[in-house]
Amino acid sequence: MIRNPRAPGRVVALGPPTMWGAQDALLRPMPPRIDGLNVAAAQLSADRGSSAGGDLYEVVATEHGVRVVMGDVRGHGLAAIGTVAAVLGSFREAVHDEPELAGVLRRMDRALARYLRERADSLAAEEFVTVLLLEIGRDGEVRALNCGHPWPYRLLGTHVEPLARADPLPPLGSFPLPPDLPAVPFGQLRPGEALFLFTDGAEDARDAHGRFFPLPEVLAEALREGADTPQSMLGAVFTRVLRHTSGSPTDDIALLALRNERHHRHPSGARGTARATTPHPQPTTHR
């Protein structure tokens, strides 16, 4: 594992330059603060020979609020990169155009369907993407739509709780979206509170005895030890997950944390795309 020289905060595995460049262009580096939110994100590829994975994430400030996507494409490598590009590209455009999260999700679903129709391989029919969409308003109000993705954790002081326990919708590509898609409200993310998003590679990581990685317990321990910023949270979780798996996770892992650091109201506006990466996701070497 090495640090990407064009995005020093992101940990990646050394792989073929063409795949590295493609993934780097999709998961572009971003500033750490977006519209009063402190943001950090990072990914770890399970493939020691490639930095190309199927995880995707993005944070964008819009006139409709700060909008977030976390997703996981079935598969790895160049095929997964094409799917990531289709879904992320649609999200980045739709979040500015669509006043409701349902409109964003439908645009992403149509983009995925078009891409899969144009793919000339037998696996396209089996492709699907789990997607979590979040919207954080200026008042801190959180709304979400979830298609097959793990629910994030809400961090309140040293307390860790799931944002929701309800069953999500099916992943994109599996079944048509329902005609009615109301975004689910989850109350306010108050100043000092955080959300921790992840792909299932984190909680599914196993140790030598087959035990799953205890993500909520690790988060609570990290908070008690003073890891109260998104950057330090990600560093603590990556350190422990690599220790848990003896440095060899079997699936890609992506993490994203947002902490509300708004102290007073100010005019919102798009300040660009917010991809910040943790500066210390360590250790950085697979055994």
Side-chain angles (χ1 to χ4, degrees):
M1 300 292 291
I2 65 170
R3 294 186 186 276
N4 184 334
R6 286 173 291 176
R10 189 186 324 141
V11 171
V12 295
L14 182 59
T18 54
M19 298 179 74
W20 186 355
Q23 189 82 350
D24 194 43
L26 288 173
L27 302 182
R28 57 199 182 197
M30 303 173 298
R33 291 182 63 84
I34 293 295
D35 200 13
L37 302 178
N38 190 349
V39 183
Q43 64 167 352
L44 181 66
S45 174
D47 188 348
R48 294 179 61 184
S50 171
S51 64
D55 294 340
L56 61 98
Y57 50 88
E58 186 71 286
V59 182
V60 181
T62 77
E63 63 179 295
H64 313 294
V66 175
R67 288 175 163 179
V68 184
V69 64
M70 172 70 84
D72 190 353
V73 175
R74 178 183 181 275
H76 305 276
L78 288 175
I81 285 182
T83 307
V84 168
V87 174
L88 263 186
S90 176
F91 171 82
R92 286 168 175 160
E93 181 176 324
V95 288
H96 294 289
D97 299 338
E98 300 291 341
E100 303 295 334
L101 279 184
V104 176
L105 187 63
R106 292 192 189 281
R107 293 264 293 268
M108 294 169 67
D109 186 51
R110 290 196 296 268
L112 175 63
R114 284 194 302 269
Y115 170 73
L116 294 180
R117 283 197 302 269
E118 294 168 357
R119 263 181 48 180
D121 65 83
S122 59
L123 298 178
E126 302 175 7
E127 194 79 279
F128 63 84
V129 185
T130 69
V131 169
L132 172 70
L133 289 181
L134 292 177
E135 180 180 280
I136 303 171
R138 284 300 310 146
D139 57 358
E141 191 71 23
V142 179
R143 300 174 183 84
L145 285 172
N146 190 345
C147 292
H149 201 81
W151 287 105
Y153 289 106
R154 185 194 295 264
L155 313 182
L156 310 95
T158 59
H159 184 62
V160 178
E161 64 180 28
L163 184 65
R165 299 183 187 275
D167 291 334
L169 297 166
L172 295 184
S174 300
F175 298 97
L177 289 172
D180 191 25
L181 276 175
V184 182
F186 289 103
Q188 287 187 322
L189 184 70
R190 295 181 174 84
E193 295 180 353
L195 293 174
F196 193 91
L197 289 69
F198 57 96
T199 54
D200 60 7
E203 289 194 320
D204 289 347
R206 298 186 186 225
D207 65 11
H209 302 286
R211 293 172 297 199
F212 290 106
F213 182 67
L215 180 57
E217 290 83 357
V218 167
L219 280 170
E221 180 184 356
L223 291 169
R224 288 193 297 269
E225 294 174 353
D228 59 353
T229 67
Q231 294 77 14
S232 59
M233 292 173 200
L234 266 60
V237 172
F238 270 116
T239 297
R240 287 165 171 80
V241 78
L242 286 171
R243 184 185 305 154
H244 184 81
T245 61
S246 299
S248 299
T250 58
D251 194 7
D252 300 335
I253 297 172
L255 308 176
L256 189 154
L258 308 99
R259 188 172 190 267
N260 188 354
E261 296 185 352
R262 296 167 176 166
H263 298 295
H264 56 82
R265 294 185 62 85
H266 57 82
S268 64
R271 293 173 53 189
T273 303
R275 177 176 310 289
T277 56
T278 175
H280 303 294
Q282 50 184 308
T284 59
T285 304
H286 280 309
R287 292 186 179 89

